[in-house]
Amino acid sequence: MIKKILAWFGYVPKIHKEQVQETPKENDNFYRKRPLHFADDMMQTQRLNLEQLWEHNFKNAVHPSIAMDSAKGQSTFALDNSLNLKQPYYGVVPEAQITWYASQSFIGYQLCSMLAQQWLISKACLMPAKDATRNGYELTVNDGTDIDPEILDAIRNKDIDYKISANLIEFIQMGRIFGIRVALFVVESDDPEYYRNPFNADGVTPGSYRGISQIDPYWITPQLDTESSGNPAAIDFYEPTWWIINGHPVHRTHLVIFRTEEVSDILKPTYIFGGVPIPQKIAQRVFAAETCANEAPQILLTKRTDVIKADLAQGVSQWPSFVERIQQWVTNRDNFGVKMLGLEEDMQQFDTGLSDMDAVIMTQYQLVAAACNVPATKLMGTQPKGFNSTGEFEEASYHEELESIQKHDLTALLDRHHLLLIRSEIIPEFNCEEFNVVISWNRLDSMTEKEQSEINKMKAENGIMLQQSGAIDAEEERQRVMNDPKSGYTGLADKPENDDLLEQSENTGEEFDPA
């Protein structure tokens, strides 16, 4: 039409060869006709992304701009070129898999703090700390030193004054949040180099111990000496020699450091010489579980989908009235309303099945529990779905986890605390010899009264058999009952000497004289 109009005015357009375009054929395909460099650009983009992830995973704690696998610069952390991305990783492991794993690197302490506000992540970090310390511990002296029970009672009272229970909970909770927790034992010393030099118990003077200070990791900086940073054969290789706290170097022997799962040497600078934080491990799984749980009520509200056949052409042409008609239908859509259809209309209703909705939701939460080493029965307070489990194995496994925390982390903190406490306060107050206390953790599970009475009955029967065999006498069995905190007779007074004389006179028939 345009050509005819132009020809009517006497204008004939000139067509140049360079303006002529080839008419695409019907069998032309986008993927066959794409630019040849398209695949190369995509591969280059993926390669750059992977290089950035690689540098993030192996960044240098001292020189953040230099990656550990980089050949640029001179650094004590520089490694050989065996990790260079020029080598064909994708020939062994698909590049998409490498990118997925490489993206699961250290997320930073600030992000750990933010994620720990979420209720499930907070519970996963706090619950093991409270459970491991709930039943407390007992103090004993096993080195042969004769210690007055009054001294042990004084130590227990001092533990309350120093808020040791709260410190133990905080030590594990914040350590799980950040992957590392540093406990500094505050000692007032006249020696200005007290903290810079390795710990020496002889430097603790009477009244110098002040308590435990716990420090978040973003307030401190690790510092390595030449041996720990450059000699892989050193015992303390890649273990910071000092931690800079408030601008002053503190030797690592003055600290008790809790770490979660430690990473290999090559990743330690990335994690700032800490462990893998729990929020980092479970963030993706928590998001999936919470999203799944949030969608459940939305599905319940929209489980019934109504489909009405109508003339869409007329509906679009009369859009306002069409929308009003839909709103009227929605108003009467519930089970208490009246649904009316015209003779020419047809309606269908589709229901979304919800039979496995609870199992799908709980399975996601069970994956969260598995990632943070807390049984789902404990974390969620419900029976696990889909595993036909009674929860007994999960409870036993959880107790093993708590016992590991007690032995490897909490006991070390208590040992150092009691060492300083005894030297600073107990020995000067009671004028006694130096001694060491041993921590004995109480049972993790709480027994019912019936279970405890059955155990006491078995102990009593065992005591009778030992007396009958002559292994012990009645007085030794009495002492056992008095010293057993679960016997119900704890604190029973010793038997008066007159009672022994009265019993002897009754056996011999002699007259008893109280004088």
Side-chain angles (χ1 to χ4, degrees):
M1 178 64 68
I2 296 177
K3 291 182 179 180
K4 291 181 180 180
I5 294 175
L6 293 176
W8 187 72
F9 283 100
Y11 175 76
V12 179
K14 297 181 180 179
I15 301 177
H16 301 282
K17 292 183 179 181
E18 58 272 12
Q19 295 178 344
V20 177
Q21 298 181 358
E22 181 180 358
T23 303
K25 299 179 181 179
E26 294 182 357
N27 60 352
D28 282 349
N29 187 286
F30 168 77
Y31 295 100
R32 291 200 300 267
K33 291 298 183 180
R34 72 185 188 277
L36 296 178
H37 57 79
F38 178 80
D40 296 336
D41 291 344
M42 290 295 295
M43 183 176 295
Q44 182 65 21
T45 301
Q46 294 177 357
R47 187 67 56 81
L48 291 175
N49 292 337
L50 185 56
E51 287 181 356
Q52 292 177 357
L53 290 172
W54 212 262
E55 292 180 359
H56 175 72
N57 275 275
F58 301 105
K59 66 183 180 182
N60 191 317
V62 178
H63 304 285
S65 61
I66 302 176
M68 291 183 65
D69 63 318
S70 176
K72 299 177 293 183
Q74 300 296 327
S75 172
T76 57
F77 292 100
L79 301 180
D80 58 21
N81 210 25
S82 60
L83 296 178
N84 197 305
L85 283 174
K86 294 180 180 179
Q87 298 194 11
Y89 289 104
Y90 48 85
V92 180
V93 180
E95 196 162 320
Q97 294 184 16
I98 297 177
T99 304
W100 185 79
Y101 282 107
S103 63
Q104 302 184 43
S105 182
F106 183 51
I107 61 177
Y109 296 133
Q110 288 79 6
L111 190 54
C112 288
S113 300
M114 185 179 70
L115 294 179
Q117 300 175 101
Q118 201 271 344
W119 74 272
L120 190 57
I121 297 179
S122 176
K123 192 174 183 180
C125 296
L126 177 59
M127 179 177 289
K130 286 188 173 181
D131 290 341
T133 60
R134 182 181 64 249
N135 292 336
Y137 54 88
E138 297 295 334
L139 299 175
T140 58
V141 179
N142 300 333
D143 58 358
T145 306
D146 187 14
I147 297 298
D148 191 333
E150 184 181 356
I151 296 178
L152 295 179
D153 292 338
I155 295 177
R156 297 186 186 97
N157 294 331
K158 292 292 184 181
D159 286 350
I160 297 176
D161 295 339
Y162 282 98
K163 300 180 180 180
I164 292 302
S165 296
N167 272 282
L168 294 177
I169 294 175
E170 179 185 349
F171 191 59
I172 301 301
Q173 177 196 6
M174 304 307 292
R176 289 172 66 87
I177 290 177
F178 295 117
I180 184 174
R181 189 63 170 173
V182 174
L184 171 66
F185 298 87
V186 180
V187 176
E188 292 184 355
S189 176
D190 296 333
D191 183 5
E193 298 294 322
Y194 172 78
Y195 280 114
R196 182 178 181 84
N197 297 326
F199 173 72
N200 182 9
D202 295 334
V204 181
T205 58
S208 61
Y209 179 50
R210 292 291 178 265
I212 303 173
S213 173
Q214 300 189 36
I215 309 168
D216 287 353
Y218 41 77
W219 301 119
I220 59 180
T221 304
Q223 181 176 346
L224 288 79
D225 59 12
T226 305
E227 183 74 5
S228 60
S229 63
N231 181 14
I235 296 177
D236 57 351
F237 179 65
Y238 257 31
E239 179 67 25
T241 308
W242 299 279
W243 291 85
I244 308 302
I245 302 175
N246 193 27
H248 302 285
V250 178
H251 198 270
R252 63 172 178 266
T253 54
H254 289 274
L255 309 171
V256 171
I257 302 176
F258 167 78
R259 291 185 177 93
T260 52
E261 301 174 12
E262 292 199 35
V263 297
S264 60
D265 290 342
I266 198 172
L267 289 177
K268 284 182 178 180
T270 303
Y271 283 83
I272 318 180
F273 299 93
V276 181
I278 297 299
Q280 174 183 317
K281 294 173 60 178
I282 66 176
Q284 186 175 5
R285 297 265 56 87
V286 170
F287 177 78
E290 290 288 84
T291 303
C292 183
N294 290 337
E295 288 184 357
Q298 298 178 9
I299 294 176
L300 289 173
L301 295 175
T302 59
K303 67 181 295 292
R304 293 184 178 90
T305 303
D306 297 333
V307 178
I308 303 176
K309 296 182 179 180
D311 189 343
L312 293 181
Q314 293 185 9
V316 173
S317 62
Q318 303 177 14
W319 185 253
S321 59
F322 182 67
V323 173
E324 182 180 359
R325 180 70 177 87
I326 293 176
Q327 291 296 335
Q328 292 176 356
W329 176 262
V330 171
T331 303
N332 298 320
R333 185 174 53 185
D334 59 10
N335 294 332
F336 302 98
V338 179
K339 299 182 177 67
M340 295 180 294
L341 293 175
L343 296 176
E344 71 284 358
E345 294 177 329
D346 185 14
M347 173 187 170
Q348 294 179 349
Q349 189 176 75
F350 300 94
D351 283 2
T352 302
L354 303 176
S355 59
D356 296 329
M357 179 64 67
D358 59 338
V360 172
I361 295 175
M362 289 307 302
T363 299
Q364 296 301 316
Y365 282 105
Q366 287 167 200
L367 293 175
V368 175
C372 63
N373 294 338
V374 177
T377 52
K378 185 70 178 179
L379 186 65
M380 304 301 299
T382 58
Q383 188 72 16
K385 297 286 184 179
F387 293 126
N388 296 324
S389 173
T390 61
E392 294 181 0
F393 171 77
E394 289 83 356
E395 183 181 6
S397 177
Y398 183 51
H399 284 175
E400 292 177 357
E401 178 75 15
L402 298 181
E403 289 171 355
S404 298
I405 293 175
Q406 291 175 347
K407 179 178 179 180
H408 301 297
D409 304 306
L410 295 179
T411 300
L413 184 71
L414 287 173
D415 286 344
R416 177 59 63 85
H417 161 72
H418 287 136
L419 171 63
L420 299 174
L421 178 64
I422 291 172
R423 282 181 165 268
S424 175
E425 300 188 26
I426 300 300
I427 293 178
E429 180 179 350
F430 292 92
N431 194 22
C432 58
E433 298 180 357
E434 183 179 353
F435 63 96
N436 296 320
V437 294
V438 177
I439 303 299
S440 177
W441 292 93
N442 295 325
R443 291 172 55 94
L444 291 169
D445 53 340
S446 299
M447 292 183 292
T448 63
E449 293 184 2
K450 181 180 179 180
E451 292 173 340
Q452 185 61 55
S453 63
E454 291 175 352
I455 292 178
N456 289 338
K457 180 181 178 180
M458 289 187 290
K459 290 181 179 179
E461 293 174 350
N462 185 50
I464 293 174
M465 288 188 295
L466 292 175
Q467 290 183 63
Q468 292 175 351
S469 65
I472 61 175
D473 56 19
E475 184 60 29
E476 291 172 333
E477 175 63 13
R478 178 185 175 89
Q479 291 294 328
R480 181 196 69 78
V481 174
M482 291 169 52
N483 296 329
D484 187 356
K486 302 295 185 180
S487 66
Y489 296 94
T490 306
L492 186 66
D494 291 337
K495 196 173 183 181
E497 184 178 355
N498 288 346
D499 292 351
D500 295 336
L501 296 176
L502 178 59
E503 182 179 355
Q504 180 180 0
S505 65
E506 291 175 352
N507 294 334
T508 60
E510 299 178 357
E511 183 179 356
F512 170 66
D513 183 6

